[in-house]
Amino acid sequence: MHEPYFGGKEKEYLNQCIESTFVSSVGPFVNQFEDQLAEYCGIQNAVAVVNGTAALHISLEVLGVTHGDEILTQSLTFIATANAISYCGAKPVFIDVDRDTMGMSPSALNSFLETNAEQRDNICYNKKTGNRISACVPMHTYGFAAEIDQICAIARKWNIPIIEDAAEAIGSSYKEKSLGTYGDIGVFSFNGNKIITAGGGGALITNNPKYASKAKHLSTTAKKAHKYEFIHDQIGYNYRMPNLNAALLCAQIEEIEHILINKRYLAEQYKKYFESIDVSFRWEGENSTANFWLMCIEAKTKEERDSFLEESNKNGVMTRPVWELMCNLPMYKDCIKDEQINAQYLAERIINLPSSYRTHAK
Ligand SMILES: *Cc1c(COP(=O)(O)O)cnc(C)c1O
């Protein structure tokens, strides 16, 4: 759906890793990439880890999410969002999305909280289950921005911290600010199919220096700095990004503007074509700029979607439906959720189109 593009200094930087023998987690490209990523997003801190799922997991732990907590998120997302919540022993609560953004609906979030939540000592609880609601994880679907400022405003009113799952959204912005920078923590993925890739990789970004140092500590086995002793002060993770992966990313992030221009060029061509045959091609919202990671059309009915998927795949054009909604999967079917009307509507209609660009207009 989206092939990687290696048109920069990838080989040169990878060679430097091999020649230096620094291929693992200690090495100059890891810190260099963190600095470049933070600067690109306009934020204070970035912490590079092995993949986006690990970045979500660490972010939840940094915010103190623990066993028995409830985490507000959306059912229309990739499995990693819900799984990372489960790794903490917490339970996802599925809030509906908006049809136009495909991201968490601020009004659905607000009505869920008004009906189900209460605050005691500045901590938010689900008054029906008695469980703490300790984070909210909205996701920016396919790189299109959710109404993130409204989502943050509602969550803040209830003292719920926000982790933006911006795994698909590097290079996208809302009101001219990078996605991932609105929440307390933002998360990116650099998996092979994402806008820029390390093969596998992820990162979290934050303006809070305490969150950043906690995330780095947790992702490096919680080892205390010492000249030679092995002292670990809590249960940490081996989640640090290796230098080899960071080398690829240092080259990729140098090319990101070029990549985004080409993605947009392809999106414009699709838009023109689909408009001419009266098919709705997904475009960015008024206040936002999309990276057009995965481009999509909206079928008028599920039957139309199914026949389009069938026909295009039969003819060798790779097209895909959206993910099965989390609330329909066996491990998440008993989770708390609202009516999921828009999530269901979109799940039956959205089709992803081939989104790799072929012309490299430098
Ligand atoms: C890709 C992705 C992730 C996870 O990233 P990995 O690097 O594959 O672990 C998380 N959330 C969303 C929405 C994603 O698309």
Side-chain angles (χ1 to χ4, degrees), residues 119-140:
Q119 288 191 78
R120 278 178 268 134
D121 301 326
N122 291 326
I123 296 171
C124 185
Y125 294 91
N126 181 326
K127 62 187 173 193
K128 295 180 179 160
T129 62
N131 296 326
R132 193 168 70 124
I133 299 174
S134 54
C136 175
V137 189
M139 196 276 283
H140 299 291

Side-chain angles (χ1 to χ4, degrees), residues 18 26-27 64 163 239-240 303 313 337:
I18 290 164
V26 176
I163 298 169
Y239 277 176
R240 188 82 175 140
E303 293 66 41
N313 282 288
K337 59 175 193 276

Side-chain angles (χ1 to χ4, degrees), residues 56-348:
L56 281 166
H57 180 197
I58 288 274
S59 301
L60 290 158
E61 285 223 355
V62 161
L63 294 178
V65 170
T66 186
H67 199 86
D69 287 357
E70 291 176 12
I71 308 299
L72 308 174
T73 187
Q74 56 199 66
S75 192
L76 184 85
T77 187
F78 177 58
I79 190 73
T81 321
N83 281 348
I85 292 167
S86 303
Y87 299 163
C88 300
K91 291 196 175 69
V93 170
F94 300 117
I95 305 296
D96 204 4
V97 293
D98 277 332
R99 279 194 200 178
D100 54 352
T101 65
M102 300 186 282
M104 185 181 281
S105 160
S107 61
L109 176 64
N110 192 54
S111 61
F112 180 86
L113 288 165
E114 292 291 341
T115 314
N116 296 286
E118 66 182 3
Q119 288 191 78
R120 278 178 268 134
D121 301 326
N122 291 326
I123 296 171
C124 185
Y125 294 91
N126 181 326
K127 62 187 173 193
K128 295 180 179 160
T129 62
N131 296 326
R132 193 168 70 124
I133 299 174
S134 54
C136 175
V137 189
M139 196 276 283
H140 299 291
T141 306
Y142 303 136
F144 295 104
E147 294 290 350
I148 191 64
D149 58 348
Q150 290 182 51
I151 293 168
C152 288
I154 294 162
R156 291 220 168 92
K157 207 174 83 188
W158 289 88
N159 274 303
I160 303 170
I162 294 258
I163 298 169
E164 272 179 273
D165 185 344
E168 306 176 352
I170 189 162
S172 298
S173 60
Y174 183 82
K175 294 186 177 166
E176 289 174 15
K177 222 162 89 82
S178 289
L179 295 185
T181 64
Y182 281 86
D184 298 271
I185 303 179
V187 165
F188 295 125
S189 165
F190 307 114
N191 190 27
N193 62 350
K194 297 296 193 330
I195 287 269
I196 58 170
T197 184
L204 58 94
I205 58 172
T206 178
N207 272 321
N208 185 321
K210 284 198 193 113
Y211 291 165
S213 63
K214 219 167 148 186
K216 188 164 173 188
H217 188 61
L218 273 174
S219 64
T220 50
T221 66
K223 185 182 180 298
K224 296 189 78 163
H226 191 281
K227 273 183 295 217
Y228 45 80
E229 298 219 47
F230 292 99
I231 311 289
H232 304 262
D233 60 3
Q234 65 188 110
I235 297 173
Y237 302 92
N238 180 16
Y239 277 176
R240 188 82 175 140
M241 179 182 284
N243 202 41
L244 268 178
N245 303 56
L248 261 185
L249 281 170
C250 285
Q252 290 262 286
I253 203 166
E254 287 172 10
E255 294 294 319
I256 192 165
E257 292 304 344
H258 168 225
I259 293 171
L260 292 171
I261 289 168
N262 281 278
K263 294 286 285 181
R264 179 167 293 268
Y265 177 70
L266 175 60
E268 280 163 355
Q269 287 179 303
Y270 267 136
K271 183 167 184 261
K272 219 188 286 168
Y273 170 70
F274 283 112
E275 270 173 5
S276 78
I277 56 166
D278 192 31
V279 170
S280 154
F281 178 74
R282 284 270 158 177
W283 200 251
E284 61 209 354
E286 242 171 64
N287 287 322
S288 63
T289 306
N291 62 8
F292 291 102
W293 174 54
L294 287 193
M295 304 182 201
C296 35
I297 52 174
E298 186 179 315
K300 291 185 180 69
T301 59
K302 184 169 186 300
E303 293 66 41
E304 188 182 271
R305 180 201 76 164
D306 291 344
S307 67
F308 187 94
L309 287 169
E310 197 52 47
E311 199 63 20
S312 49
N313 282 288
K314 198 171 76 192
N315 285 290
V317 179
M318 186 177 183
T319 59
R320 291 287 181 268
V322 292
W323 316 276
E324 182 62 56
L325 296 181
M326 295 301 108
C327 60
N328 294 336
L329 299 177
M331 45 307 181
Y332 297 119
K333 70 176 176 15
D334 298 325
C335 291
I336 299 170
K337 59 175 193 276
D338 60 15
E339 289 183 308
Q340 302 293 311
I341 291 168
N342 295 332
Q344 194 63 44
Y345 180 95
L346 292 167
E348 290 173 2

